[in-house]
Amino acid sequence: MTIDEIINFVEDLDGVLAIRPGPGDGSPEISWGDTFFYYAPDGAMPKATQPFATIVTKNYPDDERSRLDRPDTFRVNIAAGKDSFINSTGHAPREPALDDDLSVTDAVIAHPVYGSVGWLAVVNPGQRTDAAVRELLRNAHHLARSRYERRAGSTTS
């Protein structure tokens, strides 16, 4: 899977807003080149919502263990939710993970920083993880849409 294939797949899901920070848009330079996916059916950047998935192309401070400084290396990060997290890792998000190699490619792993809150990650998804990544992204989108609908319903009640 390439970055563009992932972006196209997620953008084809209903109500998705893909944010791609770059020079001149007011975003922090460290985020340039990365992609952030939100459920935003109105097309407006949500003010109080985290993305349901991201693609990062470089190491961030305190998040270097995936070794994204290698050539042509990126990581897709997915707010998987507890059930998908357990199905993918064999343990609950808050349970300690094994000392996995967080730089391994084409493997679903607990996110190196946000695994304790149910995020999964895949460095350079490929043939082994293609179907799993797509399913996890669909599920993360569904969870984000459900949160949006609950919030929208609570403000109209």
Side-chain angles (χ1 to χ4, degrees):
M1 298 179 84
T2 67
I3 290 174
D4 288 337
E5 287 173 331
I6 296 167
I7 291 170
N8 291 337
F9 175 79
V10 177
E11 286 184 326
D12 280 346
L13 301 171
D14 71 289
V16 170
L17 175 64
I19 302 295
R20 300 178 202 170
D25 66 6
S27 62
E29 185 173 349
I30 192 156
S31 67
W32 296 356
D34 297 341
T35 306
F36 302 83
F37 300 103
Y38 296 88
Y39 182 76
D42 60 1
M45 176 71 176
K47 296 193 185 329
T49 301
Q50 294 293 317
F52 68 85
T54 66
I55 299 171
V56 294
T57 58
K58 68 196 78 60
N59 291 330
Y60 275 70
D62 299 320
D63 183 9
E64 297 93 11
R65 295 181 296 166
S66 292
R67 297 182 38 231
L68 300 179
D69 53 351
R70 295 174 285 174
D72 301 316
T73 303
F74 69 95
R75 185 179 70 212
V76 60
N77 306 303
I78 306 165
K82 184 178 178 181
D83 292 340
S84 291
F85 187 95
I86 291 169
N87 289 339
S88 296
T89 66
H91 64 85
R94 296 205 183 270
E95 292 176 4
L98 301 173
D99 286 330
D100 293 332
D101 178 0
L102 300 176
S103 67
V104 65
T105 61
D106 201 18
V108 178
I109 59 171
H111 187 284
V113 176
Y114 301 111
S116 64
V117 292
W119 280 72
L120 295 171
V122 181
V123 176
N124 286 10
Q127 211 170 23
R128 277 192 321 221
T129 57
D130 183 288
V133 166
R134 290 174 194 274
E135 184 58 30
L136 289 166
L137 287 166
R138 275 188 214 97
N139 186 59
H141 170 263
H142 172 76
L143 293 171
R145 183 179 60 214
S146 295
R147 279 190 300 275
Y148 176 91
E149 290 170 352
R150 276 194 310 275
R151 289 179 183 145
S154 69
T155 61
T156 60
S157 302

